[in-house]
Amino acid sequence: MQQIIDQLAHAIREAANHKTPLCIRGGGSKDFYGGPLRGETLDTSAYRGVIEYESTELVLTARGGTPLAEIDEA
């Protein structure tokens, strides 16, 4: 997982250095919301997984690329 974090951090730093906008994208299931997509795609789908789920409190912590189906399953 650390390698994925390092890759994402590197991509973000590079985009900031070059003033390149990023389009942060997981599975793309909500691409139709809002305006047109702009910027270079930063794919977060590899950064996935439910980290913590406290069912009695209805609190779930998940990584940015976690598919909704995986969250529903939890």
Side-chain angles (χ1 to χ4, degrees), residues 15-58:
N17 289 340
H18 294 95
K19 297 185 177 8
T20 303
L22 291 174
C23 177
I24 300 171
R25 186 171 194 268
S29 62
K30 303 295 181 247
D31 281 352
F32 61 91
Y33 280 135
L37 301 178
R38 297 181 339 167
E40 185 177 316
T41 300
L42 178 65
D43 184 5
T44 63
S45 61
Y47 187 63
R48 64 190 294 172
V50 174
I51 298 169
E52 186 176 356
Y53 177 46
E54 181 57 54
S55 61
T56 60
E57 297 292 325
L58 299 177

